[in-house]
Amino acid sequence: MTRPLTPRQQNVYDFIVKTMNELGYPPTRAEIARALGFRSPNAAEEHLRALSKKGVIRMIPGTSRGIRLPSQELEETTGTSAGEPHNGLPIIGEVAAGSPILAAAHIDRYCPLAPDYFTPRADYLLRVRGLSMRDIGILEGDLLAVHRTNRVRDGQIVVARLDDEVTVKRFRRDGHTVWLLPENEEFTPIEIDLRQQELEIEGVGVGVIRGGNGQSLH
């Protein structure tokens, strides 16, 4: 389970939420430092990185106000107000080509399970189609718990979007070449040349709920 926030991290998080609610955009590092009495923006940056590692914010590189709240990102993609109860993690069914994976049309229902049940925290549950990952116990109809990120390491199970199709595979990369590897010898690995084909990582698998019936495997 995700570690709790320290008192100082909680202060930073509360200030970010307050600023976004009042102004509609996140504060800069300098504004955080000034408001909370830090000696420099670098101290604010350290707290932001810690909050990002714990999954309570997402940082956008290269921008002065590049801070996002996962709950607000879900609101933007689903059209659901952050004040309305979600009753747990969204369960994603069929994903239409080219549309955001958390679009409201893709959400079948919500599973009453806390995101922090998984490590790192889950952002959604994806209903598995097919048997390409059968040999590691990810079966047709299972729910794959997914942490939203585009940072992935070799060997991780990923949710990948290729040519507007979403697939679950094991990730491996060597230079400009990526392989999306099945865990079933009846299926062929997918080879991608990143210089010629676009690949988008929608997240990494952090757990499985067997058959969608609430039995969780890590």
Side-chain angles (χ1 to χ4, degrees):
M1 185 173 290
T2 303
R3 291 171 296 165
L5 303 185
T6 66
R8 210 56 169 143
Q9 290 167 0
Q10 188 66 56
N11 290 341
V12 173
Y13 178 76
D14 290 344
F15 180 71
I16 292 169
V17 173
K18 178 175 180 290
T19 301
M20 293 181 75
N21 287 339
E22 292 180 356
L23 303 179
Y25 51 82
T28 64
R29 277 68 168 166
E31 289 168 349
I32 294 172
R34 198 160 47 243
L36 298 180
F38 296 151
R39 291 186 176 181
S40 73
N42 288 337
E45 177 72 13
E46 291 178 5
H47 287 299
L48 291 176
R49 291 188 183 279
L51 291 173
S52 178
K53 286 182 179 179
K54 292 182 178 181
V56 297
I57 68 170
R58 190 166 71 88
M59 296 174 64
I60 311 299
T63 60
S64 63
R65 298 185 185 274
I67 302 170
R68 299 291 183 271
L69 301 178
S71 60
Q72 293 189 345
E73 290 189 319
L74 178 61
E75 175 185 349
E76 291 170 1
T77 54
T78 62
T80 304
S81 170
E84 296 178 17
H86 294 308
N87 298 319
L89 291 168
I91 296 176
I92 308 300
E94 296 289 344
V95 178
S99 60
I101 203 163
L102 279 172
H106 302 157
I107 298 176
D108 291 341
R109 58 187 175 88
Y110 288 86
C111 176
L113 193 63
D116 289 344
Y117 183 82
F118 302 95
T119 304
R121 74 197 311 272
D123 293 293
Y124 60 92
L125 302 171
L126 181 68
R127 191 170 298 282
V128 176
R129 307 293 180 186
L131 294 171
S132 67
M133 304 301 285
R134 178 193 64 191
D135 293 350
I136 58 170
I138 302 177
L139 308 176
E140 174 92 26
D142 287 350
L143 298 177
L144 179 69
V146 182
H147 172 67
R148 291 180 71 188
T149 181
N150 57 12
R151 297 182 179 180
V152 58
R153 302 187 306 274
D154 277 3
Q156 287 186 304
I157 304 302
V158 301
V159 177
R161 187 187 294 267
L162 180 66
D163 296 332
D164 286 333
E165 295 293 329
V166 172
T167 186
V168 176
K169 294 290 185 291
R170 191 179 295 280
F171 180 92
R172 185 159 67 88
R173 178 173 181 172
D174 184 5
H176 296 293
T177 304
V178 167
W179 290 270
L180 298 178
L181 304 173
E183 293 287 349
N184 182 339
E185 62 182 11
E186 298 176 6
F187 290 77
T188 303
I190 301 170
E191 183 175 341
I192 302 119
D193 186 336
L194 297 177
R195 295 168 297 184
Q196 301 177 9
Q197 200 169 6
E198 185 175 348
L199 174 69
E200 183 177 353
I201 301 299
E202 296 277 3
V204 298
V206 294
V208 177
I209 298 177
R210 175 69 64 237
N213 62 6
Q215 292 183 323
S216 180
L217 305 176
H218 290 284

